[in-house]
Amino acid sequence: MDSNLQPVSSTRPLAPTIGLVDGSPNLAGQLGSFHPGSQPFASFRNIDQAVQRPHLHNTARTQEAIALENSTHNNSNDGITLLPPVGPSFQQPSYEVLVQDPVAGSFAGQLQGMKLIPDPPNLDYWRHRLFHVDEMITLSEDEFQTYFPHVDNVYSHRSTQRYKRRPFVSHYWDCRLKGRPPGTPKSDDPNKKKRKRTARERDLCDVKIKITEYLPATSELDKAGGFESLPADLMPGRHTLFPVQGDQSFGIINPTPNIGAIPSETSGRRYYTIQRVNGNGANGKNDGVSGGHRHTLEESDRVKKNSVERHILKVKGKKKDMDQTMSAQQKSYHTKATGPAAATALIHSAETNLKLYGSCFCPFVQRVWISLELKGIPYQYIEINPYEKPKALLDINPRGLVPALQHDNWGCYESSVLMEYLEDLDFGARLFPADPKQRAHCRLWADHINRNIIPNFYRVLQEQEQQKQIANVQELRDAFNLLITAAHPSGPYFMGSQISFVDIQVAPWVLRLRRVLKPYRGWPDPEEGSRWASWVAAIESNEHVRATTSTDELYLDSYERYAENRPNTSQVANAINSGRGLP
Ligand SMILES: N[C@@H](CCC(=O)N[C@@H](CS)C(=O)NCC(=O)O)C(=O)O
């Protein structure tokens, strides 16, 4: 290994020259040099790209913002409806929702209409209060719906009791750490997601609470004698916890409850009382057992997240999914060649019996396209979007990849195979030398391009981790250096003065070094005067290569999704990501 081949770090500019493989001083190739002002390899991250390409990223950001807005403002398909802010005291409506669908909240079905407000005032206080339930707590409907979802992880619903002709419903909840009593059937609902259950020791805690829900029409019906009177132990008194601000209806039970009176704030409205019904907590049994939890609130939180936290995670997860879908949709495929390639496509748009199905950004297509141009074979160029996989493409190539070639009623695919097919037509300029040994030499180095250069090109482009980018860059440089050692000493092409098979095999990626790897990964320009520089210049200026090349902007755009390694960019990108060979 050449000692000049130093790993590149983002803090150190590239060595000005890249030496060649041992023993080839006459092939004085130098792959590249670092130019002051350009970025070192591997220093480009998405943020840098955003700075460099504000026009693209502004668009992306705007669409992302729209996606987020939609996810928080129009998110009704999970049965949760967003509400406007709840009044002046709650200022964080971002995830505020009303649980309407019994499936949406753990308590739904038992208690509906829960709000999911991430950070209501005095949350810690209320979480502890509702955890310990040392005294009976009375909450207005709004308060209950706001705070209970923050502690519903502590409890699991056991039963609901409805009373005939009584204006309230009682819901009994056990501390979740009690565990499921033996014999409790698991849900047989086939739609219910099967969760991984952690076997917990049973009866870790005895706390039971009763939540009594007083129904809205209470006072009217009560007055009209429609219901039996409320049991005395459930009649809430109240005192104010916080300085009263206007009509703020917050309270817990007065230690000496105002038995017999429904507080005026709750009259005619739904409200809730919460009391512990084990031990001598709020149940008044006074049996000497404190009856509190045998663990902390933090331990309950470790066992399960509350509904608000779960909802926030769900919304965030949905946003992430949506971002990924959005960015997948933002794949900017150019569906039309630009610049010289557009002119060539137009010239070759007339119907003929030899059709090249191609895509303007695709380097594999460009191989075949250059070959057709070089040979002067009459052909029809048909631009297609390989990601949409039109039938015409699939009829020829069931893998759905371009290039695909149709000749009369026969079709074939795979860029290297197609180049050889065109060669075998024996028309126009030759791609291979006549000498079988030299032909084998060309095939050997074409194989090197396909095995080493092309996969490494995509690895450099797709890798997001800086250390790995550095390693990939080194491998790509090594692969190019090896090819240069095999090239004709003065060239400028691989076999000498004429462009041939190996040049055309590698040309599309050589063009994309400056157009794609340079802006996205800081790939250096060739060192002036080097063998590599003369080869690159010959490829760049070749009339057939130029005729099939679009403007720089098309490549910059088309490869952005690779550079960001967006999910499902292409079969090539997926193969690279999963360590498979190219498709
Ligand atoms: N090995 C194939 C590779 C062709 C290829 O990957 N083409 C890409 C466009 S550059 C394609 O059609 N992608 C469609 C997809 O990923 O679904 C060849 O040499 O022709």
Side-chain angles (χ1 to χ4, degrees), residues 42-65:
S43 65
F44 283 72
R45 314 223 109 207
N46 293 343
I47 290 169
D48 299 321
Q49 295 159 20
V51 172
Q52 290 191 344
R53 310 186 60 207
H55 62 292
L56 287 175
H57 288 266
N58 284 345
T59 315
R61 253 197 303 277
T62 309
Q63 293 188 356
E64 226 172 66

PDB file of all heavy atoms in Angstrom, residues 42-65:
ATOM      1  N   ALA A  42     -15.748  14.544   3.739  1.00  0.00           N
ATOM      2  CA  ALA A  42     -16.518  14.078   4.883  1.00  0.00           C
ATOM      3  C   ALA A  42     -16.952  15.181   5.818  1.00  0.00           C
ATOM      4  O   ALA A  42     -17.460  14.921   6.876  1.00  0.00           O
ATOM      5  CB  ALA A  42     -15.705  13.051   5.675  1.00  0.00           C
ATOM      6  N   SER A  43     -16.736  16.408   5.439  1.00  0.00           N
ATOM      7  CA  SER A  43     -17.146  17.455   6.365  1.00  0.00           C
ATOM      8  C   SER A  43     -18.536  17.954   6.023  1.00  0.00           C
ATOM      9  O   SER A  43     -19.081  18.775   6.728  1.00  0.00           O
ATOM     10  CB  SER A  43     -16.167  18.608   6.310  1.00  0.00           C
ATOM     11  OG  SER A  43     -16.231  19.191   5.043  1.00  0.00           O
ATOM     12  N   PHE A  44     -19.109  17.479   4.946  1.00  0.00           N
ATOM     13  CA  PHE A  44     -20.434  17.948   4.574  1.00  0.00           C
ATOM     14  C   PHE A  44     -21.487  17.173   5.320  1.00  0.00           C
ATOM     15  O   PHE A  44     -21.549  15.973   5.252  1.00  0.00           O
ATOM     16  CB  PHE A  44     -20.661  17.754   3.073  1.00  0.00           C
ATOM     17  CG  PHE A  44     -19.970  18.781   2.263  1.00  0.00           C
ATOM     18  CD1 PHE A  44     -18.605  18.766   2.136  1.00  0.00           C
ATOM     19  CD2 PHE A  44     -20.687  19.789   1.668  1.00  0.00           C
ATOM     20  CE1 PHE A  44     -17.958  19.716   1.399  1.00  0.00           C
ATOM     21  CE2 PHE A  44     -20.041  20.739   0.916  1.00  0.00           C
ATOM     22  CZ  PHE A  44     -18.671  20.708   0.778  1.00  0.00           C
ATOM     23  N   ARG A  45     -22.248  17.861   6.058  1.00  0.00           N
ATOM     24  CA  ARG A  45     -23.368  17.234   6.730  1.00  0.00           C
ATOM     25  C   ARG A  45     -24.591  17.921   6.159  1.00  0.00           C
ATOM     26  O   ARG A  45     -24.488  18.888   5.440  1.00  0.00           O
ATOM     27  CB  ARG A  45     -23.272  17.472   8.230  1.00  0.00           C
ATOM     28  CG  ARG A  45     -21.884  17.202   8.738  1.00  0.00           C
ATOM     29  CD  ARG A  45     -21.917  16.454  10.009  1.00  0.00           C
ATOM     30  NE  ARG A  45     -21.451  15.110   9.737  1.00  0.00           N
ATOM     31  CZ  ARG A  45     -21.818  14.081  10.468  1.00  0.00           C
ATOM     32  NH1 ARG A  45     -22.655  14.215  11.447  1.00  0.00           N
ATOM     33  NH2 ARG A  45     -21.356  12.891  10.201  1.00  0.00           N
ATOM     34  N   ASN A  46     -25.707  17.442   6.537  1.00  0.00           N
ATOM     35  CA  ASN A  46     -26.924  18.019   5.965  1.00  0.00           C
ATOM     36  C   ASN A  46     -27.041  19.505   6.243  1.00  0.00           C
ATOM     37  O   ASN A  46     -27.524  20.269   5.433  1.00  0.00           O
ATOM     38  CB  ASN A  46     -28.139  17.288   6.483  1.00  0.00           C
ATOM     39  CG  ASN A  46     -28.140  15.870   5.958  1.00  0.00           C
ATOM     40  OD1 ASN A  46     -27.424  15.593   4.985  1.00  0.00           O
ATOM     41  ND2 ASN A  46     -28.904  15.000   6.572  1.00  0.00           N
ATOM     42  N   ILE A  47     -26.580  19.893   7.419  1.00  0.00           N
ATOM     43  CA  ILE A  47     -26.686  21.306   7.765  1.00  0.00           C
ATOM     44  C   ILE A  47     -25.859  22.143   6.819  1.00  0.00           C
ATOM     45  O   ILE A  47     -26.278  23.175   6.323  1.00  0.00           O
ATOM     46  CB  ILE A  47     -26.235  21.523   9.222  1.00  0.00           C
ATOM     47  CG1 ILE A  47     -27.286  20.916  10.129  1.00  0.00           C
ATOM     48  CG2 ILE A  47     -26.014  22.981   9.527  1.00  0.00           C
ATOM     49  CD1 ILE A  47     -26.885  20.821  11.562  1.00  0.00           C
ATOM     50  N   ASP A  48     -24.642  21.622   6.540  1.00  0.00           N
ATOM     51  CA  ASP A  48     -23.790  22.366   5.610  1.00  0.00           C
ATOM     52  C   ASP A  48     -24.468  22.494   4.266  1.00  0.00           C
ATOM     53  O   ASP A  48     -24.425  23.524   3.614  1.00  0.00           O
ATOM     54  CB  ASP A  48     -22.455  21.647   5.414  1.00  0.00           C
ATOM     55  CG  ASP A  48     -21.723  21.540   6.729  1.00  0.00           C
ATOM     56  OD1 ASP A  48     -21.783  22.509   7.498  1.00  0.00           O
ATOM     57  OD2 ASP A  48     -21.138  20.494   6.983  1.00  0.00           O
ATOM     58  N   GLN A  49     -25.114  21.387   3.885  1.00  0.00           N
ATOM     59  CA  GLN A  49     -25.785  21.436   2.577  1.00  0.00           C
ATOM     60  C   GLN A  49     -26.895  22.456   2.598  1.00  0.00           C
ATOM     61  O   GLN A  49     -27.120  23.171   1.640  1.00  0.00           O
ATOM     62  CB  GLN A  49     -26.378  20.081   2.235  1.00  0.00           C
ATOM     63  CG  GLN A  49     -25.315  19.022   2.046  1.00  0.00           C
ATOM     64  CD  GLN A  49     -25.918  17.655   2.221  1.00  0.00           C
ATOM     65  OE1 GLN A  49     -27.131  17.506   2.112  1.00  0.00           O
ATOM     66  NE2 GLN A  49     -25.101  16.665   2.480  1.00  0.00           N
ATOM     67  N   ALA A  50     -27.557  22.536   3.730  1.00  0.00           N
ATOM     68  CA  ALA A  50     -28.657  23.487   3.821  1.00  0.00           C
ATOM     69  C   ALA A  50     -28.132  24.895   3.633  1.00  0.00           C
ATOM     70  O   ALA A  50     -28.749  25.724   2.970  1.00  0.00           O
ATOM     71  CB  ALA A  50     -29.345  23.365   5.168  1.00  0.00           C
ATOM     72  N   VAL A  51     -26.945  25.137   4.189  1.00  0.00           N
ATOM     73  CA  VAL A  51     -26.376  26.470   4.044  1.00  0.00           C
ATOM     74  C   VAL A  51     -26.018  26.712   2.594  1.00  0.00           C
ATOM     75  O   VAL A  51     -26.256  27.769   2.034  1.00  0.00           O
ATOM     76  CB  VAL A  51     -25.131  26.606   4.939  1.00  0.00           C
ATOM     77  CG1 VAL A  51     -24.403  27.905   4.655  1.00  0.00           C
ATOM     78  CG2 VAL A  51     -25.536  26.523   6.397  1.00  0.00           C
ATOM     79  N   GLN A  52     -25.465  25.651   1.981  1.00  0.00           N
ATOM     80  CA  GLN A  52     -25.023  25.844   0.608  1.00  0.00           C
ATOM     81  C   GLN A  52     -26.180  25.913  -0.363  1.00  0.00           C
ATOM     82  O   GLN A  52     -26.064  26.499  -1.420  1.00  0.00           O
ATOM     83  CB  GLN A  52     -24.155  24.656   0.197  1.00  0.00           C
ATOM     84  CG  GLN A  52     -22.831  24.659   0.923  1.00  0.00           C
ATOM     85  CD  GLN A  52     -21.908  23.630   0.305  1.00  0.00           C
ATOM     86  OE1 GLN A  52     -22.362  22.757  -0.442  1.00  0.00           O
ATOM     87  NE2 GLN A  52     -20.656  23.730   0.595  1.00  0.00           N
ATOM     88  N   ARG A  53     -27.278  25.259  -0.031  1.00  0.00           N
ATOM     89  CA  ARG A  53     -28.355  25.132  -1.014  1.00  0.00           C
ATOM     90  C   ARG A  53     -29.667  25.585  -0.410  1.00  0.00           C
ATOM     91  O   ARG A  53     -30.599  24.814  -0.261  1.00  0.00           O
ATOM     92  CB  ARG A  53     -28.451  23.680  -1.471  1.00  0.00           C
ATOM     93  CG  ARG A  53     -27.099  23.137  -1.892  1.00  0.00           C
ATOM     94  CD  ARG A  53     -27.242  21.779  -2.468  1.00  0.00           C
ATOM     95  NE  ARG A  53     -28.100  21.833  -3.637  1.00  0.00           N
ATOM     96  CZ  ARG A  53     -28.826  20.809  -4.053  1.00  0.00           C
ATOM     97  NH1 ARG A  53     -28.832  19.713  -3.410  1.00  0.00           N
ATOM     98  NH2 ARG A  53     -29.571  20.924  -5.131  1.00  0.00           N
ATOM     99  N   PRO A  54     -29.701  26.847  -0.032  1.00  0.00           N
ATOM    100  CA  PRO A  54     -30.889  27.287   0.694  1.00  0.00           C
ATOM    101  C   PRO A  54     -32.176  27.107  -0.098  1.00  0.00           C
ATOM    102  O   PRO A  54     -33.205  26.800   0.476  1.00  0.00           O
ATOM    103  CB  PRO A  54     -30.611  28.765   0.980  1.00  0.00           C
ATOM    104  CG  PRO A  54     -29.497  29.147   0.072  1.00  0.00           C
ATOM    105  CD  PRO A  54     -28.756  27.917  -0.275  1.00  0.00           C
ATOM    106  N   HIS A  55     -32.107  27.211  -1.400  1.00  0.00           N
ATOM    107  CA  HIS A  55     -33.353  27.130  -2.165  1.00  0.00           C
ATOM    108  C   HIS A  55     -34.029  25.781  -1.990  1.00  0.00           C
ATOM    109  O   HIS A  55     -35.223  25.682  -1.848  1.00  0.00           O
ATOM    110  CB  HIS A  55     -33.107  27.418  -3.648  1.00  0.00           C
ATOM    111  CG  HIS A  55     -32.194  26.429  -4.309  1.00  0.00           C
ATOM    112  ND1 HIS A  55     -30.856  26.349  -3.996  1.00  0.00           N
ATOM    113  CD2 HIS A  55     -32.439  25.484  -5.221  1.00  0.00           C
ATOM    114  CE1 HIS A  55     -30.315  25.394  -4.736  1.00  0.00           C
ATOM    115  NE2 HIS A  55     -31.255  24.854  -5.480  1.00  0.00           N
ATOM    116  N   LEU A  56     -33.190  24.738  -1.961  1.00  0.00           N
ATOM    117  CA  LEU A  56     -33.782  23.403  -1.822  1.00  0.00           C
ATOM    118  C   LEU A  56     -34.318  23.187  -0.423  1.00  0.00           C
ATOM    119  O   LEU A  56     -35.383  22.682  -0.220  1.00  0.00           O
ATOM    120  CB  LEU A  56     -32.712  22.336  -2.091  1.00  0.00           C
ATOM    121  CG  LEU A  56     -32.307  22.196  -3.533  1.00  0.00           C
ATOM    122  CD1 LEU A  56     -31.171  21.208  -3.628  1.00  0.00           C
ATOM    123  CD2 LEU A  56     -33.510  21.716  -4.339  1.00  0.00           C
ATOM    124  N   HIS A  57     -33.501  23.579   0.547  1.00  0.00           N
ATOM    125  CA  HIS A  57     -33.863  23.249   1.907  1.00  0.00           C
ATOM    126  C   HIS A  57     -34.986  24.111   2.438  1.00  0.00           C
ATOM    127  O   HIS A  57     -35.740  23.685   3.280  1.00  0.00           O
ATOM    128  CB  HIS A  57     -32.616  23.290   2.785  1.00  0.00           C
ATOM    129  CG  HIS A  57     -31.753  22.133   2.472  1.00  0.00           C
ATOM    130  ND1 HIS A  57     -31.829  20.960   3.177  1.00  0.00           N
ATOM    131  CD2 HIS A  57     -30.878  21.931   1.468  1.00  0.00           C
ATOM    132  CE1 HIS A  57     -30.988  20.094   2.644  1.00  0.00           C
ATOM    133  NE2 HIS A  57     -30.401  20.661   1.618  1.00  0.00           N
ATOM    134  N   ASN A  58     -35.096  25.315   1.894  1.00  0.00           N
ATOM    135  CA  ASN A  58     -36.240  26.116   2.310  1.00  0.00           C
ATOM    136  C   ASN A  58     -37.526  25.425   1.926  1.00  0.00           C
ATOM    137  O   ASN A  58     -38.472  25.370   2.671  1.00  0.00           O
ATOM    138  CB  ASN A  58     -36.192  27.509   1.668  1.00  0.00           C
ATOM    139  CG  ASN A  58     -35.161  28.367   2.386  1.00  0.00           C
ATOM    140  OD1 ASN A  58     -34.749  28.000   3.476  1.00  0.00           O
ATOM    141  ND2 ASN A  58     -34.772  29.452   1.778  1.00  0.00           N
ATOM    142  N   THR A  59     -37.496  24.883   0.722  1.00  0.00           N
ATOM    143  CA  THR A  59     -38.697  24.188   0.265  1.00  0.00           C
ATOM    144  C   THR A  59     -38.988  23.025   1.191  1.00  0.00           C
ATOM    145  O   THR A  59     -40.094  22.824   1.645  1.00  0.00           O
ATOM    146  CB  THR A  59     -38.468  23.620  -1.157  1.00  0.00           C
ATOM    147  OG1 THR A  59     -37.858  24.634  -1.899  1.00  0.00           O
ATOM    148  CG2 THR A  59     -39.739  23.148  -1.771  1.00  0.00           C
ATOM    149  N   ALA A  60     -37.914  22.249   1.496  1.00  0.00           N
ATOM    150  CA  ALA A  60     -38.122  21.071   2.327  1.00  0.00           C
ATOM    151  C   ALA A  60     -38.652  21.480   3.687  1.00  0.00           C
ATOM    152  O   ALA A  60     -39.552  20.870   4.221  1.00  0.00           O
ATOM    153  CB  ALA A  60     -36.819  20.317   2.480  1.00  0.00           C
ATOM    154  N   ARG A  61     -38.079  22.538   4.238  1.00  0.00           N
ATOM    155  CA  ARG A  61     -38.515  22.943   5.564  1.00  0.00           C
ATOM    156  C   ARG A  61     -39.967  23.351   5.557  1.00  0.00           C
ATOM    157  O   ARG A  61     -40.730  23.026   6.438  1.00  0.00           O
ATOM    158  CB  ARG A  61     -37.646  24.101   6.064  1.00  0.00           C
ATOM    159  CG  ARG A  61     -36.671  23.648   7.156  1.00  0.00           C
ATOM    160  CD  ARG A  61     -36.134  24.836   7.894  1.00  0.00           C
ATOM    161  NE  ARG A  61     -35.495  25.796   7.041  1.00  0.00           N
ATOM    162  CZ  ARG A  61     -34.234  25.702   6.635  1.00  0.00           C
ATOM    163  NH1 ARG A  61     -33.504  24.708   6.991  1.00  0.00           N
ATOM    164  NH2 ARG A  61     -33.722  26.629   5.853  1.00  0.00           N
ATOM    165  N   THR A  62     -40.338  24.082   4.538  1.00  0.00           N
ATOM    166  CA  THR A  62     -41.716  24.547   4.479  1.00  0.00           C
ATOM    167  C   THR A  62     -42.654  23.352   4.457  1.00  0.00           C
ATOM    168  O   THR A  62     -43.632  23.310   5.180  1.00  0.00           O
ATOM    169  CB  THR A  62     -41.930  25.373   3.190  1.00  0.00           C
ATOM    170  OG1 THR A  62     -40.903  26.327   3.168  1.00  0.00           O
ATOM    171  CG2 THR A  62     -43.260  26.048   3.195  1.00  0.00           C
ATOM    172  N   GLN A  63     -42.307  22.354   3.670  1.00  0.00           N
ATOM    173  CA  GLN A  63     -43.210  21.207   3.571  1.00  0.00           C
ATOM    174  C   GLN A  63     -43.238  20.433   4.877  1.00  0.00           C
ATOM    175  O   GLN A  63     -44.253  19.920   5.287  1.00  0.00           O
ATOM    176  CB  GLN A  63     -42.775  20.313   2.420  1.00  0.00           C
ATOM    177  CG  GLN A  63     -42.983  21.064   1.123  1.00  0.00           C
ATOM    178  CD  GLN A  63     -42.746  20.183  -0.072  1.00  0.00           C
ATOM    179  OE1 GLN A  63     -42.361  19.050   0.045  1.00  0.00           O
ATOM    180  NE2 GLN A  63     -43.009  20.711  -1.237  1.00  0.00           N
ATOM    181  N   GLU A  64     -42.064  20.395   5.533  1.00  0.00           N
ATOM    182  CA  GLU A  64     -42.012  19.724   6.819  1.00  0.00           C
ATOM    183  C   GLU A  64     -42.913  20.442   7.819  1.00  0.00           C
ATOM    184  O   GLU A  64     -43.653  19.828   8.570  1.00  0.00           O
ATOM    185  CB  GLU A  64     -40.580  19.760   7.338  1.00  0.00           C
ATOM    186  CG  GLU A  64     -40.117  18.453   7.871  1.00  0.00           C
ATOM    187  CD  GLU A  64     -38.649  18.521   8.180  1.00  0.00           C
ATOM    188  OE1 GLU A  64     -38.287  19.274   9.076  1.00  0.00           O
ATOM    189  OE2 GLU A  64     -37.887  17.830   7.506  1.00  0.00           O
ATOM    190  N   ALA A  65     -42.814  21.763   7.781  1.00  0.00           N
ATOM    191  CA  ALA A  65     -43.627  22.550   8.701  1.00  0.00           C
ATOM    192  C   ALA A  65     -45.101  22.276   8.448  1.00  0.00           C
ATOM    193  O   ALA A  65     -45.890  22.106   9.373  1.00  0.00           O
ATOM    194  CB  ALA A  65     -43.323  24.032   8.529  1.00  0.00           C
TER     195      ALA A  65
END
